[in-house]
């Protein structure tokens, strides 16, 4: 396999990791006003992802960094082109990240309400916009040659088209379902059952949207490989919902996890060998070849990735194992609710 | 390749950079604001993770209550600071592509690699093990839990190394070759980039400055508690914060010695690879041999000549070259030299009309960096003297010191970065690409302005929130000792978590 293909694959893996992991973080954040009936239940929800959300978010930073290193032209055109959506995503990620750490630091209802809002908006906005962004990449956007570089010339409103919005709706509902599956798996008591029931309902909605979007994608730009991945994704989603309906929470969560992984893999397979097709002329499309770094850089990066990725996966998996126990309302310590100084 | 064949197809819109000059200026402001802001939190994250790890190590080894109380107290302050450092760091990773896309294209082959490696080696380590540390008090055995904070600290050190290697490339590009066919700089030796001579002196300087800053923070908080803390009359609290102040003041002194030594080495390498920056730092307009060190220089408004100067003869020669009568090049001859070398081809990405940095800002930021650093050192010395033996501090005058010890080094960090980045101007990458040529050509002034306003307002609000939380946590003081117990889920499954958000 050519090095450029290796790196296209690795970047796909990074996005798969990001969406499969932070996807449920986003879901948990969005479920805050839906699932939690009181302050204790809110804290149960937040603490299911408390120890792991930051590690999950690093996947997107590495995906960004790897794109910069392996496909500088892609990084430059994509990030300068999708300027305002990325700005909104950044703002969402900023307020959301702080909400986890700051929300519990003061015993003040207004303070907590504001951070709840930050957490909800900071989860909804990226969950929606990542889907919009990826759909636009697949659909092709106006890219022309300016001063010898392939530049995005489409503006902001060009990104708001029915296909892209459907893509955004798909990631939003999928992450919502994924989050509900995660909560059902990681909590105990009443909230666990409510989460499971909700996952079935949102899952059906997500399945309808996902099938429509993936079919559209397949007809538009699909290959045999992407079709296989999309079928796996759809089957896993149906299987996950069915597992949730009969109370098999581990299988249900695995179902949405594989759905997201196979779905994202399918999108990258449908994209290949382009990385950012031009809607104006195929000659202006950014591809794994014309957007790539030198083979020397790719070789160095491959060595680093081969050595360190397994180590990262091992310790991240270990941290999930350490925090494997379910959380319920009686596990939420009382004392942190009183006084501004909580135990660190 | 598309980029060549399409040049004559007629659809190319010639892009005139002058039209977007304001987008360039706004992008500069955004980078300055977001980076200086981000770096207010970075040194404390790096340094305080080490100090907290040190306190926890002392607790694991001795079992003395005070060490665990210090661990938890400063651990809590560390996390308030860390959160905002993390979220503002995401912006840094994205804004090269958003605002500086031509830069990203031009050096992405080189500059992207350390950034990607930083993510893989540093960010995962830092975030995963910090999660384990925060929530792991009742989940992990004592020593395993101690290891998590050290690994998180190691993550911050790796992060510093790789991002500084990337920055050192901008100061002094090595390990690359310009490829006229692709029109970009390309990596030829990754090891050379990681062992850039600028990097080898910058990394210790920045790392030790971080230890110094965080130690100053611990000294300041401890002194405040001794003078104003609500439990200051209690013997246990006196002992606790005296320990905190003394240990941190020693860390600060040792680190600052290293900061001075590495800073001195930096000056010599800077003179060699970026003589213009050294000349601007010293307001040395003409080449001198030997050159005197400027204590105060007032130049003409156009920044080309000296009007008034107080200097110590030969000292600059010594600092810059290691010899008391070494030659130090001046701004004006260097400027002429650079115009001849880089300024002939107006189409080239290395073109600029003028190759001198903003003289006043470079000169004063250099002095503020050193002055504030030394102020911090003096304040920590004063604390050590005042706390010698069994002595303590009670006078409110010490509150001034409590502020000076952390803020001196903290703002010294800011001015150090302002100095090193402003002193490099007009270059983005020295000798290769100017900042004017680095900006995103397709991003409009309105878009950059929107993001500048959004980030500035958001960061402003966050600063208020962070300071409020920080001050209230400092005023609350250390919690009483409570022995951490590892959970036994089989026998006590409903036991509340040791820590929860």
């Amino acid at each position: 396999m050519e090095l450029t293909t290796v790196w296209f694959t690795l970047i796909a893996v990074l996005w798969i990791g990001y969406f499969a992991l932070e996807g449920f973080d986003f879901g948990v954040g969005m479920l805050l006003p839906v699932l939690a009936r009181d302050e204790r239940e809110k804290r149960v929800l937040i603490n299911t992802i408390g120890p792991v959300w930051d590690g999950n978010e690093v996947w997107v930073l590495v995906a960004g960094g790897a794109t910069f290193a392996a496909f500088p032209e892609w990084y430059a055109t994509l990030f300068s082109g999708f300027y305002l959506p990325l700005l909104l995503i950044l703002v969402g990620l900023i307020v959301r990240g702080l909400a986890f750490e700051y929300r519990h630091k003061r015993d003040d209802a207004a303070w907590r309400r504001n951070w709840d809002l930050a957490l909800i908006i900071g989860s909804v906005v990226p969950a929606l916009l990542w889907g919009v962004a990826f759909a636009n990449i697949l659909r092709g956007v106006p890219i022309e040659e300016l001063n010898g570089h392939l530049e995005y010339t489409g503006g902001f409103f060009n990104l708001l088209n029915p296909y892209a919005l459907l893509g955004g709706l798909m990631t939003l509902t999928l992450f919502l379902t994924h989050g509900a599956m995660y909560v059902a798996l990681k909590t105990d008591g009443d909230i666990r059952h409510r989460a499971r029931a909700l996952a079935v309902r949102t899952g059906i909605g997500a399945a309808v949207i996902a099938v429509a979007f993936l079919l559209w994608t397949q007809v538009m730009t699909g290959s045999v490989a992407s079709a296989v991945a999309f079928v796996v994704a759809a089957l896993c989603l149906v299987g996950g919902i069915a597992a949730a309906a009969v109370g098999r929470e581990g299988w249900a969560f695995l179902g949405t996890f594989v759905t997201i992984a196979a779905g994202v893999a399918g999108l990258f397979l449908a994209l290949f060998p382009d990385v950012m097709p031009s809607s104006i002329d195929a000659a202006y499309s950014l591809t794994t070849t014309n957007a790539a770094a030198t083979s020397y850089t790719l070789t160095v990066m491959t060595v680093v990735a081969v050595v360190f990725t397994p180590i990262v996966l091992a310790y991240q998996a270990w941290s999930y194992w350490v925090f494997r126990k379910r959380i319920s309302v009686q596990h939420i310590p009382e004392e942190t609710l009183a006084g501004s100084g909580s135990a660190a | 390749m598309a980029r060549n064949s399409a040049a004559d197809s007629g659809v190319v819109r010639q892009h005139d950079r002058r039209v977007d000059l304001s987008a360039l200026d706004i992008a500069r402001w955004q980078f300055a604001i977001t980076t200086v802001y981000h770096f207010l939190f970075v040194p404390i994250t790096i340094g305080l993770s080490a100090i907290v790890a040190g306190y926890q190590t002392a607790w694991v080894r001795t079992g003395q209550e005070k060490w665990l109380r210090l661990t938890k107290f400063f651990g809590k302050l560390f996390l308030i600071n860390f959160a905002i450092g993390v979220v503002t760091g995401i912006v840094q990773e994205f804004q090269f592509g958003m605002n500086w896309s031509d830069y990203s294209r031009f050096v992405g082959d080189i500059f992207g690699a350390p950034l990607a490696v930083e993510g893989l080696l540093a960010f995962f380590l830092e975030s995963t093990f910090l999660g384990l540390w925060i929530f792991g008090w009742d989940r992990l055995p004592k020593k395993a839990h101690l290891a998590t904070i050290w690994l998180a600290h190691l993550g911050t050190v790796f992060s510093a190394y790789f991002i500084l290697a990337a920055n050192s490339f901008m100061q002094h590009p090595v390990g690359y070759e310009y490829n006229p066919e692709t029109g970009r700089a390309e990596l030829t030796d990754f090891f050379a980039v990681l062992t850039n001579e600028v990097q080898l002196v910058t990394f210790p300087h920045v790392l030790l400055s971080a230890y110094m800053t965080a130690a100053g923070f611990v000294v300041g908080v401890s002194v405040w508690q001794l003078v104003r803390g609500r439990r200051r009359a209690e013997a246990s609290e006196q002992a606790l914060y005296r320990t905190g102040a003394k240990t941190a003041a020693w860390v600060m002194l040792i680190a600052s010695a290293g900061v001075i030594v590495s800073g001195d080495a930096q000056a010599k390498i800077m003179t060699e690879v970026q003589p213009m920056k050294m000349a601007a730092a010293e307001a040395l307009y003409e080449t001198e041999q030997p050159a005197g060190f400027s204590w105060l220089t007032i130049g003409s408004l156009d920044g080309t000549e000296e009007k008034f100067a107080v200097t110590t003869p030969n000292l600059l020669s010594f600092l810059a070259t290691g010899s008391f009568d070494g030659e130090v090049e001046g701004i004006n001859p260097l400027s002429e030299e650079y115009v001849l070398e880089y300024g002939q081809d107006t189409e080239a990405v290395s073109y600029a009309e003028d190759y001198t940095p903003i003289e006043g800002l470079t000169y004063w930021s250099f002095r503020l960096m050193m002055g504030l650093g030394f102020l911090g050192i003096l304040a920590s010395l004063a604390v050590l003297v005042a706390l010698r033996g069994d002595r303590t501090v009670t006078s409110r005058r010490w509150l001034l010191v409590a502020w000076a010890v952390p803020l001196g080094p903290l703002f010294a960090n800011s001015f150090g970065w302002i100095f090193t980045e402003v002193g490099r101007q007009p270059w983005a990458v020295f000798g290769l690409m100017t900042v004017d040529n680095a900006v995103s050509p397709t991003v409009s002034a309105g878009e950059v302005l929107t993001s500048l306003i959004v980030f500035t307002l958001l960061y402003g609000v966050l600063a208020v929130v962070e300071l409020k939380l920080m001050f209230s946590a400092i005023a609350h003081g250390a919690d009483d000792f409570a022995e951490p117990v590892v959970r036994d889920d089989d026998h006590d499954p409903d036991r509340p978590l040791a820590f929860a958000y």
Side-chain angles (χ1 to χ4, degrees):
Chain A
M1 192 157 37
E2 283 183 50
L3 276 174
T4 50
T5 310
V6 170
W7 274 91
F8 181 84
T9 312
L10 281 172
I11 285 167
V13 168
L14 289 167
W15 282 105
I16 288 170
Y18 178 61
F19 287 133
L21 293 170
E22 189 145 271
F24 64 73
D25 291 355
F26 288 145
V28 171
M30 292 187 265
L31 288 169
L32 202 63
V34 183
L35 267 183
R37 290 193 171 153
D38 55 27
E39 172 58 18
R40 271 177 173 270
E41 289 198 343
K42 277 185 190 169
R43 295 184 64 202
V44 167
L45 287 180
I46 292 168
N47 280 289
T48 58
I49 53 173
V52 293
W53 74 269
D54 193 10
N56 295 345
E57 195 158 292
V58 171
W59 285 82
V60 76
L61 293 178
V62 180
T67 310
F68 197 172
F71 301 102
E73 297 277 335
W74 187 14
Y75 173 79
T77 305
L78 176 65
F79 280 60
S80 63
F82 290 13
Y83 197 90
L84 293 176
L86 282 173
L87 174 65
L88 291 173
I89 287 173
L90 282 174
V91 171
L93 295 181
I94 288 172
V95 297
R96 178 176 164 278
L98 282 177
F100 291 114
E101 197 55 54
Y102 285 1
R103 183 186 182 279
H104 71 112
K105 292 256 189 257
R106 280 182 60 193
D107 187 19
D108 171 354
W111 170 270
R112 283 198 301 263
R113 223 176 15 251
N114 286 338
W115 284 119
D116 284 352
L117 207 61
L119 184 49
I120 296 160
I121 294 172
S123 302
V124 169
V125 169
L128 177 76
L129 291 184
W130 282 128
V132 173
F134 269 86
N136 272 303
I137 292 176
L138 279 153
R139 178 173 176 260
V141 286
I143 294 176
E144 294 171 67
E145 180 162 324
L146 294 179
N147 275 5
H149 297 304
L150 297 170
E151 302 271 15
Y152 175 79
T153 54
F156 175 63
F157 291 101
N158 198 1
L159 300 174
L160 304 178
N161 52 76
Y163 171 74
L165 293 175
L166 187 65
L169 218 52
M170 178 186 74
T171 47
L172 188 77
T173 51
L174 262 184
F175 294 162
L176 192 69
T177 308
H178 195 37
M181 299 285 194
Y182 181 78
V183 172
L185 180 66
K186 290 291 295 179
T187 60
D188 218 343
D190 195 33
I191 197 166
R192 170 182 174 184
H193 301 290
R194 273 182 276 135
R196 209 171 57 209
L198 186 73
V200 174
R201 274 183 284 142
T202 60
I204 292 168
V208 173
I209 296 168
V211 167
F213 178 80
L214 296 180
L215 258 178
W216 193 339
T217 307
Q218 181 62 29
V219 170
M220 187 177 72
T221 174
S223 62
V224 176
S226 69
V228 172
F230 290 155
V231 168
V232 171
L235 289 177
C236 285
L237 186 53
V238 173
I241 296 166
V246 298
R248 301 296 296 270
E249 287 142 349
W251 287 105
F253 176 72
L254 189 67
T256 45
F257 194 97
V258 180
T259 300
I260 292 170
V264 177
L267 295 182
F268 273 85
L269 286 167
L271 187 62
F272 187 81
D274 285 340
V275 293
M276 230 181 141
S278 169
S279 60
I280 294 176
D281 186 337
Y284 298 142
S285 293
L286 287 166
T287 67
T288 52
T289 326
N290 72 6
T294 56
S295 67
Y296 174 76
T297 297
L298 294 177
T299 308
V300 170
M301 298 275 300
T302 305
V303 173
V304 175
V306 164
V307 174
F308 288 99
T309 309
I311 300 175
V312 169
L313 288 175
Y315 65 64
Q316 215 172 33
W318 180 64
S319 94
Y320 274 93
W321 187 79
V322 168
F323 300 110
R324 66 195 176 282
K325 288 285 177 214
R326 289 177 184 270
I327 300 174
S328 53
V329 281
Q330 65 266 26
H331 292 124
I332 300 301
E334 195 69 65
E335 76 268 33
T336 48
L337 279 175
S340 58
S342 53
Chain B
M1 208 179 290
R3 66 168 75 108
N4 296 325
S5 62
D8 42 23
S9 65
V11 293
V12 180
R13 289 202 301 261
Q14 267 308 318
H15 179 70
D16 186 348
R17 284 180 186 285
R18 262 153 295 190
V19 175
D20 290 338
L21 196 63
S22 58
L24 169 68
D25 289 339
I26 305 163
R28 279 179 187 272
W29 273 107
Q30 182 176 319
F31 196 85
I33 290 171
T34 53
T35 309
V36 169
Y37 188 86
H38 175 60
F39 211 80
L40 291 173
F41 306 97
V42 170
I44 299 193
T45 292
I46 297 174
L48 204 48
S49 57
I51 293 173
V52 168
Y55 286 151
Q56 193 173 339
T57 307
W59 175 65
V60 169
R61 294 181 72 116
T62 67
Q64 288 176 27
E65 295 184 4
K66 65 174 180 183
W67 295 120
L68 184 68
R69 293 186 66 202
L70 286 173
T71 305
K72 292 226 169 186
F73 178 46
F74 285 104
K76 184 163 70 182
L77 304 184
F78 163 74
L79 291 176
I80 294 172
N81 167 83
F82 176 76
I84 203 158
V86 165
V87 295
T88 53
I90 313 172
V91 177
Q92 299 303 101
E93 187 92 14
F94 280 33
Q95 75 173 329
F96 292 111
M98 291 171 77
N99 284 347
W100 306 101
S101 68
D102 271 2
Y103 171 83
S104 304
R105 290 173 207 284
F106 186 70
V107 293
D109 194 62
I110 308 144
F111 192 85
L115 257 67
V117 176
E118 182 193 21
L120 188 63
L121 264 71
F123 293 161
F124 273 126
L125 200 63
E126 190 179 77
S127 59
T128 308
F129 284 99
L130 213 50
L132 282 157
W133 185 72
I134 299 171
F135 286 86
W137 285 98
D138 59 351
R139 281 281 172 209
L140 296 169
K142 231 180 206 179
K143 284 187 177 164
H145 185 257
L146 174 62
T148 61
I149 184 75
W150 279 114
L151 285 166
H153 172 62
L154 191 66
T156 68
V157 175
F158 283 166
S159 170
Y161 196 89
F162 289 106
I163 198 65
L164 289 172
N167 181 267
S168 294
F169 177 82
M170 299 169 78
Q171 312 292 344
H172 176 50
V174 293
Y176 77 99
E177 213 164 68
Y178 176 74
N179 182 343
E181 211 166 293
T182 56
R184 65 184 186 186
E186 295 179 347
L187 186 63
T188 55
D189 188 350
F190 190 53
F191 187 71
V193 170
L194 293 182
T195 55
N196 188 336
E197 60 178 322
V198 171
Q199 161 73 353
L200 295 182
V201 288
T202 302
F203 172 67
H205 192 67
V206 172
L207 183 68
L208 291 165
S209 302
Y211 291 144
M212 194 177 151
T213 308
F217 176 79
V218 174
V219 173
V221 168
S222 301
V223 167
W224 188 91
Q225 276 289 344
L226 289 172
V227 178
R228 295 281 291 141
R230 61 191 167 89
R231 295 171 66 186
R232 63 184 180 276
E234 296 171 37
S236 64
E237 306 311 291
Q238 278 290 326
L240 182 73
Y241 297 115
R242 288 183 74 257
T243 304
K246 280 178 148 182
T247 47
W250 278 111
V251 170
M252 189 164 178
L253 281 184
I254 295 164
S256 58
V259 170
I260 294 168
V261 171
S262 58
D264 177 63
Q266 273 184 303
K268 290 179 175 57
I269 289 180
M270 181 172 71
T271 308
E272 192 187 307
V273 302
Q274 289 177 289
M276 178 65 96
K277 193 191 281 185
M278 190 61 182
E282 283 298 318
L284 186 71
Y285 294 101
E286 301 300 335
T287 300
E288 289 182 20
Q289 185 183 20
F293 179 82
S294 158
W295 296 102
L296 175 66
T297 298
I298 299 186
S300 63
L301 284 179
D302 65 353
T304 58
E305 59 174 340
E306 179 179 302
K307 290 287 185 197
F308 170 80
V310 182
T311 58
T312 300
N314 300 59
L315 184 58
L316 177 58
S317 284
F318 180 70
L319 291 175
T321 67
S323 149
F324 279 105
D325 49 15
E327 181 188 86
V328 183
E329 293 176 281
I331 295 170
N332 294 336
L334 281 168
S335 177
E336 287 166 28
E337 193 185 304
Y338 287 171
V339 168
L340 284 177
E341 190 172 351
Y342 306 110
Q344 302 303 311
D345 178 5
T346 55
E347 295 293 303
V349 293
S350 59
Y351 174 77
E353 275 179 34
D354 180 7
Y355 289 94
T356 49
I358 304 172
E359 168 51 32
L361 189 54
T362 314
Y363 179 87
W364 283 109
S365 55
F366 186 55
R367 269 146 194 78
L368 283 166
M369 169 187 75
M370 292 196 293
L372 289 167
F374 282 115
L375 178 75
I377 297 171
L378 282 180
S380 71
L381 264 177
V383 168
L384 271 184
V385 171
L387 294 181
R388 72 192 184 279
D390 292 327
R391 289 172 183 76
T392 188
V393 286
T394 51
S395 160
R396 287 210 170 199
R397 268 174 304 183
W398 282 97
L399 293 179
L400 208 62
V401 176
W403 280 97
V405 195
L407 292 187
L410 184 65
F411 291 126
N413 274 281
S414 306
F415 283 112
W417 277 112
I418 292 169
F419 164 66
T420 205
E421 295 296 289
V422 170
R424 192 188 60 230
Q425 301 299 314
W427 298 109
V429 183
F430 181 83
L432 278 178
M433 179 183 239
T434 62
V435 175
D436 294 21
N437 286 306
V439 76
S440 298
T442 54
V443 176
S444 69
E447 285 176 306
V448 199
L449 188 63
T450 307
S451 86
L452 175 69
I453 292 171
V454 166
F455 283 128
T456 307
L457 288 180
L458 182 62
Y459 282 15
V461 172
L462 297 183
V464 174
V465 170
E466 202 257 5
L467 287 174
K468 225 166 140 178
L469 275 182
M470 192 61 104
F471 288 142
S472 93
I474 290 171
H476 181 81
D479 288 322
D480 285 324
F481 176 79
E483 179 80 39
V485 181
V486 177
R487 314 176 61 85
D488 181 352
D489 285 311
D490 297 333
H491 294 99
D492 192 5
D494 289 343
R495 191 188 155 82
L497 302 168
F499 176 84
Y501 278 148

